[in-house]
Amino acid sequence: MEKYFAGIDAGTTGTTVMIFDRHGTIMSSGYSEYRTKHPHPGWVDQDMHELWDGLCSAAKQATSRFKGDLTQIVSIGVSSQRGSFVPVDESWEPLSDAIVWSDGRATKETQWIIDEFGDEGYYSITGLNPSSLWVYPKLKWLKENRPEIYSRTWKFLNGQEWILHRLGSTELFANPSALNYNGMFDIKTLEYAPELFERAGLDLDMMPPIVHELRKVGVVSAEGAAATGFAEGTVLSPGGGDQQCAAVGSGVTKAGMAELSLGTAAVMVAQLDEAPDMAENITSGVSFGAHAVPHRWDMEGTAHAAGVVLRWWRDTYGQPEVEAAKALDLSPYDLITLEAQQAPIGCDGLLFFPFFNSQANPHFHDNARGGMLGITQIHSRHHAARAVLEGVIYELRMAVEAMEGALGRPFDTIRLSGGGAKSLFWSQMQADIYGRPVERLKVSECAVLGAAILGAVGAGELPDIDSAVDAMVHTHGFIEPNMDAHAIYSDFFAVFEKAFLAWADNGVYNELAEVTARHSGAN
C-alpha cells in the first residue's frame, strides 16, 4: 500500500494543510485564513477556537481533494507559531485569547529583564536578546496585570500542543523547537532555565514538560476525524516550530546553508551541530535556539513583519488590484508585484520601513515602527508598491549580514520558502539585495513539508530525517545576483539602515510609543 504523509502549518494569519507522497509530491492541499486581534497599539491576540475552525477548514479541503484512501495517510506532523501562548485550565479550555508572538505589550517587563540580568546576562543564558516579543516577559505581564487569569491557569501551552490535543493526543508535552521564542531556555541544555522563573516569580510547573525525541504522541480521535476529515487512528507526531520545520522542509540540515522563509514574518535559519559559544556571539545580534532536528541547535535572524506588510498594503491601498484580480482569476499579489516592476530600483529615493511590530535581529528595538521616507510629487503607486517589497528585504539584509558575521563567512546559498518565494521577481530582488545566490524550492511551503517529514519520522513511517530530505526536498536551481543591481541597492540600503539607527539612537521611536500610549488608552 502506498503511504502518504500530512503536514499542518498553523500560522499567524492562516493554516495550510498538505498531503505528500514519499517523493515530496503534493497530493492535495487546503488553506484557510483567520484573524488576529489588535485591542491596543502593539497588542496582538488570537482566538484559539477561530484558529481551530480555520485549521479544520483547511484540513477538510485537503482531505476532500485527496484521491486515495484516507487510511493511506499514515502520519500527521504539526508546525506552529513560536512565541504565541494560551493559558488553559485542566480541561485544556483557553482562559483567554492567545497572546501572539508579535505582541509587544510587555515593554516594562522587558526593561525589568534588562535591569535584573543585563542584556549580556540574559543572552548568555537564553541565546536571545531581551525583547518584549518573547513569552517570558509576557508571562510576567499576565501575572501582574491579569492575575485572575494567571491564578486559574493550569498550563501555558504553545499552539502545537493545543492543536495536537484537539486532534486526539492526550499527552502533555512541548517540543523544544516550538518554544524557541519563549525566552526561557538554557541554551546549553535546551531545557527550561529555573533561574528565570524564580527571579520573575513565575511557576515552572505551569509549563508542559519538554520532549526532545521525535515520536508518536497520539492518534486522531473520532472527534478530530469528524472535524478535519482525517481518518480516525492516524498517528500524530510533533513537527516543531514553524521556522525549524521550514529548515527541514528546505533541506537545510547542514552548516553553510540557510533557509529564509517569507511568510507573515520572515525568518532565516541555519543549523548548528553544537551549542553556540555565547561569549563569542555576545554582540552578534543573532538569536540561537533549538533546531527541529533533535539535539541540534540553530541560529536565526528575524523580521517580525514581512508578508503581513504586503497583506496590509493589499487590504489598505490595493483595492484596484483586488478587484482586477477577481476579474482575471489571479492573485492580487501578482498584480501588486507587476505594478512594482514598473518602478526603478531604489524607487527614485522612496524608502519604506516595515517595522510594524518592532525591529528584531540584529538591533532588537521593540518600539520601532513603520513609515516612509523620501516621498515627493513624482512618486506613484508603482513606486510605493516596489518600496514596500524593497523595504522588507532591506530589513532582512541586516539579519543576513549579522548571521554571516556569526558564521564567519558568507552562506553558500540561501534557500527561499514561504509565500514570498512564489514570486520570481521578489526572489531575484533578494539575490540582488543580499549579493548572494538564492534557491527557490519546488515546494515553497517548506514548513508544511518539514512538518510532514518530521511527523512521518516520529511515527516510524520514514527511517530518518536525512534520507527523507534527500527523497522529498527539491529545488528549481540557483538564482544568481545581478551585481550591478546589488551596487545600487547597497547605496539605498546604507541610507535605510542609517535612517533607522538615527531614529532609534535618538529616542524617536521610544518617544512616539510613550505619546501613543498616553493617548490611546492602552494599559
Side-chain angles (χ1 to χ4, degrees):
M1 179 184 76
E2 187 70 26
K3 295 181 178 180
Y4 301 93
F5 319 107
I8 297 174
D9 178 29
T12 310
T13 55
T15 289
T16 301
V17 178
M18 289 183 173
I19 299 165
F20 301 91
D21 70 7
R22 60 190 177 89
H23 304 293
T25 304
I26 300 171
M27 308 308 295
S28 67
S29 65
Y31 176 76
S32 183
E33 286 189 357
Y34 37 74
R35 302 173 301 155
T36 54
K37 301 178 181 179
H38 306 270
H40 298 291
W43 292 31
V44 189
D45 292 343
Q46 191 155 58
D47 184 327
M48 292 299 291
H49 294 294
E50 188 173 328
L51 182 149
W52 173 249
D53 289 344
L55 185 154
C56 291
S57 174
K60 284 185 174 178
Q61 293 171 42
T63 52
S64 66
R65 294 166 182 166
F66 180 66
K67 301 301 183 184
D69 188 319
L70 290 172
T71 60
Q72 292 178 278
I73 304 170
V74 295
S75 62
I76 302 172
V78 177
S79 156
S80 60
Q81 308 167 35
R82 301 166 303 150
S84 298
F85 71 97
V86 57
V88 301
D89 62 21
E90 291 192 49
S91 63
W92 295 67
E93 184 63 26
L95 297 173
S96 70
D97 286 342
I99 298 180
V100 178
W101 59 268
S102 55
D103 180 282
R105 74 185 67 184
T107 53
K108 292 180 180 178
E109 292 72 22
T110 304
Q111 186 60 51
W112 173 86
I113 294 173
I114 296 169
D115 295 339
E116 182 76 9
F117 295 94
D119 291 275
E120 293 186 2
Y122 182 74
Y123 187 66
S124 66
I125 296 170
T126 65
L128 298 172
N129 288 80
S131 171
S132 65
L133 300 187
W134 312 146
V135 171
Y136 182 48
K138 291 172 189 172
L139 284 183
K140 185 172 172 60
W141 180 93
L142 190 72
K143 183 175 183 179
E144 294 172 353
N145 293 273
R146 300 291 185 270
E148 71 285 0
I149 295 174
Y150 189 92
S151 63
R152 295 168 54 208
T153 298
W154 172 58
K155 300 292 179 183
F156 291 104
L157 300 180
N158 174 269
Q160 181 169 153
E161 302 99 70
W162 191 81
I163 290 164
L164 284 164
H165 178 76
R166 290 299 301 264
L167 287 168
S169 172
T170 58
E171 182 173 351
L172 178 67
F173 74 94
N175 175 277
S177 72
L179 300 181
N180 276 354
Y181 277 7
N182 280 32
M184 295 180 285
F185 271 162
D186 181 327
I187 189 62
K188 297 182 290 297
T189 64
L190 300 179
E191 299 284 354
Y192 297 119
E195 176 187 4
L196 298 179
F197 288 83
E198 292 166 6
R199 291 169 70 171
L202 299 173
D203 299 283
L204 180 54
D205 62 1
M206 295 169 77
M207 305 303 296
I210 294 173
V211 173
H212 291 273
E213 65 268 24
L214 296 175
R215 62 171 174 79
K216 173 182 173 181
V217 296
V219 298
V220 174
S221 65
E223 294 81 3
T228 63
F230 286 111
E232 185 177 353
T234 305
V235 175
L236 300 170
S237 298
D242 47 9
Q243 303 308 324
Q244 286 66 38
C245 285
V248 171
S250 61
V252 174
T253 56
K254 60 188 68 174
M257 302 173 66
E259 174 267 337
L260 199 159
S261 176
L262 261 178
T264 301
V267 182
M268 188 170 178
V269 177
Q271 179 174 312
L272 299 173
D273 293 332
E274 57 188 30
D277 185 327
M278 298 313 302
E280 288 186 0
N281 287 285
I282 206 74
T283 61
S284 68
V286 175
S287 300
F288 296 93
H291 201 296
V293 179
H295 310 295
R296 294 289 184 270
W297 287 258
D298 68 16
M299 63 174 173
E300 299 186 40
T302 303
H304 286 130
V308 72
V309 176
L310 195 56
R311 180 173 173 174
W312 167 82
W313 175 263
R314 179 200 71 181
D315 294 345
T316 307
Y317 299 109
Q319 288 309 308
E321 290 82 2
V322 170
E323 293 303 318
K326 288 179 183 177
L328 297 171
D329 194 25
L330 294 172
S331 164
Y333 297 119
D334 291 336
L335 296 184
I336 293 169
T337 302
L338 185 64
E339 187 170 41
Q341 293 178 54
Q342 309 309 307
I345 292 174
C347 304
D348 290 319
L350 181 62
L351 295 173
F352 179 84
F353 297 85
F355 313 127
F356 280 23
N357 301 108
S358 74
Q359 202 289 313
N361 306 89
H363 299 292
F364 296 95
H365 199 303
D366 285 347
N367 287 327
R369 292 295 180 263
M372 281 188 168
L373 178 65
I375 300 174
T376 69
Q377 295 96 325
I378 70 167
H379 289 117
S380 64
R381 290 176 59 82
H382 305 317
H383 292 90
R386 183 174 187 127
V388 168
L389 297 175
E390 290 181 352
V392 170
I393 309 307
Y394 286 150
E395 182 181 9
L396 285 171
R397 177 168 163 175
M398 294 196 291
V400 170
E401 292 182 350
M403 290 179 66
E404 290 184 336
L407 182 66
R409 65 181 180 88
F411 287 112
D412 299 323
T413 183
I414 299 172
R415 288 186 169 178
L416 306 181
S417 69
K422 296 176 183 177
S423 167
L424 182 58
F425 175 69
W426 216 7
S427 298
Q428 182 68 59
M429 181 184 288
Q430 289 191 72
D432 294 347
I433 288 178
Y434 308 145
R436 300 282 181 270
V438 301
E439 291 180 275
R440 294 168 70 228
L441 292 132
K442 291 188 177 179
V443 176
S444 63
E445 299 293 346
C446 296
V448 191
L449 176 56
I453 290 172
L454 292 162
V457 172
E461 297 291 348
L462 292 175
D464 57 73
I465 293 172
D466 287 339
S467 61
V469 164
D470 288 343
M472 298 177 71
V473 177
H474 311 286
T475 76
H476 288 295
F478 289 98
I479 298 174
E480 297 293 336
N482 178 325
M483 297 310 288
D484 290 336
H486 175 66
I488 300 171
Y489 279 127
S490 293
D491 284 345
F492 283 105
F493 169 73
V495 179
F496 173 93
E497 187 171 41
K498 187 174 182 179
F500 160 71
L501 291 173
W503 290 325
D505 293 344
N506 285 280
V508 174
Y509 292 126
N510 290 339
E511 186 174 344
L512 178 61
E514 291 172 6
V515 171
T516 302
R518 191 159 65 241
H519 296 291
S520 69
N523 56 61

